Amino acid sequence: MQKETIFYKKNFLIYGFGKSGYASYKFLSKKNNCKIIDDNKKNIPLKYKNKTINYKQLKKNNFDYIVLSPGIDINKCTLFRYLKRNSSKVITELDIFYLSYPNIKKITITGTNGKSTTSKLLYDVLKAHKKDVRLTGNIGNPTLLETNLSNNTLFVIEASSYQLEYSKFFKSEYSLILNLYPDHLERHGNFKNYTKAKFKLIKQQLKNNYAFIEKKNYILNNLIKNNKINSKIYRVNYEKYLKYYKIITNDYFKNISNFKNLSFIFAISKNLKLDLKKIINVTNKFKQLDFRQQIIYNSKKLIIINDSKSTSLSSTQPLLESFKNIYWVLGGISKKGD
């Protein structure tokens, strides 16, 4: 079901050979000429050495596309000047996936906090509905490593600002932006650029697509007001779903930040024709992801939570605000914006 004519006998430069770069190479190399380059040569296994290219050879090659791995900062990498000169050729793994499988439905989840948990929970909910669903992106396989696809396959994609920043073509039928707080400012430079990267998920959507945002997210509401948006916007008010709070027995969703993210699944359920009882049942059985507000001890007197995945003040603040009597143990290097 792949659209064969899009990427055929093209010349690709794969810049960065992590998970995303490897997936792009494996997907493209069957019918295209692919060369690999990585600032850290140790990232490239020996069996791919004959496919590598050095910096001096770049000028001798005319590439149709440059596939940029999300971990590469275009402003601080070795190929900074080369990428600036060839910015029109830069694409991402998400672009390749979209152009190759335009008819597959995609539910893309981003935000500062809770996107991994929300992606995994939605995946579990869809599995409970017997859907052919794939969990990809930051939390699962790269999109391009998934096989045996059909037009009924659903992709749940957890997308970071890094993945979205350089994408040119990627579109998602359903886009969820859970929340926005200052993060990754050392990469994006400022909060405006970080927000801009996330907002592309909505800005790129088509007429019959759907976007879900927090009702009181004034930043996104203002961007929607000042940009031409084609998709239908749903503003999620978590208070509307507090009626379900009493029947949720999973302690993980008893703090307000996690319940706010859960409300997005309630909100999208009507569009996806999901059964409320199954959502509640899966939610109550859901095991929280490691290091993400992970309850590792719980008694009447003490709860111990491992939230070490939170690497900024903004990501841990909602959890801190969920408890009245809390001790916070932390370490590390402060981030720009903290």
Side-chain angles (χ1 to χ4, degrees):
M1 67 163 298
Q2 181 185 347
K3 214 167 181 178
E4 301 287 350
T5 55
I6 289 183
F7 299 122
Y8 180 67
K9 291 187 177 180
K10 303 290 185 183
N11 293 315
F12 283 88
L13 176 65
I14 311 292
Y15 186 20
F17 209 62
K19 285 175 63 177
S20 180
Y22 167 75
S24 299
Y25 176 84
K26 187 174 181 182
F27 183 83
L28 293 167
S29 60
K30 296 171 186 174
K31 297 183 179 179
N32 300 277
N33 177 40
C34 297
K35 295 294 184 181
I36 304 165
I37 195 166
D38 196 300
D39 290 346
N40 185 355
K41 294 180 181 179
K42 292 180 181 179
N43 290 336
I44 305 174
L46 280 173
K47 67 177 181 178
Y48 298 108
K49 291 296 180 182
N50 64 327
K51 295 295 182 180
T52 60
I53 190 171
N54 62 43
Y55 303 121
K56 293 181 180 179
Q57 294 171 318
L58 287 174
K59 294 180 180 179
K60 299 178 183 178
N61 287 266
N62 185 24
F63 294 104
D64 298 298
Y65 298 99
I66 302 167
V67 184
L68 192 64
S69 292
I72 293 174
D73 185 345
I74 202 170
N75 295 307
K76 296 179 181 179
C77 62
T78 307
L79 298 188
F80 164 71
R81 290 184 177 84
Y82 179 80
L83 293 177
K84 288 291 184 181
R85 288 196 303 270
N86 295 278
S87 60
S88 62
K89 298 180 179 181
V90 173
I91 60 172
T92 67
E93 176 210 339
L94 290 179
D95 290 326
I96 298 166
F97 173 69
Y98 171 75
L99 292 172
S100 300
Y101 301 110
N103 297 321
I104 283 184
K105 284 188 178 178
K106 296 159 285 293
I107 305 168
T108 307
I109 299 173
T110 193
T112 307
N113 307 319
K115 53 186 179 290
S116 293
T117 296
T118 307
S119 298
K120 179 60 166 61
L121 179 59
L122 181 57
Y123 168 80
D124 289 349
V125 167
L126 291 169
K127 287 288 282 187
H129 285 78
K130 309 299 182 185
K131 303 285 188 182
D132 175 16
V133 59
R134 313 297 171 90
L135 183 62
T136 62
N138 262 10
I139 190 172
N141 276 334
T143 54
L144 295 177
L145 289 185
E146 292 294 332
T147 57
N148 300 319
L149 308 179
S150 73
N151 285 333
N152 293 321
T153 305
L154 264 172
F155 270 68
V156 174
I157 304 170
E158 182 200 335
S160 70
S161 58
Y162 292 179
Q163 291 168 301
L164 297 169
E165 185 177 17
Y166 301 127
S167 65
K168 286 188 172 72
F169 305 105
F170 179 71
K171 295 176 178 61
S172 183
E173 284 76 9
Y174 299 91
S175 295
L176 284 65
I177 304 181
L178 304 177
N179 45 61
L180 284 174
Y181 299 97
D183 200 7
H184 303 304
L185 302 189
E186 57 283 321
R187 162 74 175 260
H188 297 288
N190 54 56
F191 186 49
K192 182 179 179 180
N193 290 339
Y194 172 70
T195 302
K196 184 180 177 182
K198 299 280 191 184
F199 187 63
K200 285 176 77 173
L201 257 188
I202 296 176
K203 198 173 180 180
Q204 296 275 76
Q205 286 188 297
L206 302 174
K207 186 177 179 180
N208 295 322
N209 298 164
Y210 303 90
F212 295 80
I213 66 168
E214 287 180 300
K215 182 180 180 181
K216 295 181 180 180
N217 192 312
Y218 301 111
I219 298 167
L220 289 176
N221 279 314
N222 191 52
L223 285 170
I224 289 167
K225 182 180 178 181
N226 293 306
N227 286 273
K228 183 182 177 182
I229 303 300
N230 298 312
S231 57
K232 184 172 178 57
I233 305 294
Y234 284 84
R235 291 171 172 83
V236 180
N237 180 6
Y238 78 94
E239 293 176 350
K240 177 181 175 182
Y241 304 102
L242 285 174
K243 57 190 175 184
Y244 304 134
Y245 193 77
K246 292 180 180 179
I247 55 176
I248 293 173
T249 57
N250 191 334
D251 288 337
Y252 185 67
F253 295 100
K254 289 297 185 178
N255 77 66
I256 200 65
S257 61
N258 287 343
F259 189 81
K260 281 183 177 180
N261 293 335
L262 173 61
S263 68
F264 275 78
I265 295 179
F266 289 132
I268 200 175
S269 63
K270 186 175 181 181
N271 295 79
L272 298 177
K273 298 179 181 178
L274 303 179
D275 180 75
L276 176 62
K277 289 183 179 179
K278 287 183 179 178
I279 295 174
I280 297 294
N281 185 47
V282 171
T283 300
N284 285 335
K285 292 179 179 179
F286 183 77
K287 183 182 178 183
Q288 66 265 32
L289 303 179
D290 290 346
F291 319 125
R292 295 169 174 87
Q293 300 188 17
Q294 181 185 7
I295 299 172
I296 56 176
Y297 179 82
N298 193 354
S299 70
K300 290 181 179 180
K301 293 184 177 182
L302 178 67
I303 300 174
I304 300 176
I305 300 172
N306 184 343
D307 194 38
S308 53
K309 187 67 177 177
S310 292
T311 56
S312 68
L313 178 61
S314 62
S315 62
T316 199
Q317 188 171 338
L319 178 62
L320 297 177
E321 291 174 345
S322 297
F323 296 91
K324 292 180 179 179
N325 186 13
I326 184 167
Y327 288 89
W328 189 27
V329 182
L330 72 161
I333 301 170
S334 61
K335 279 187 171 183
K336 183 178 179 180
D338 276 356

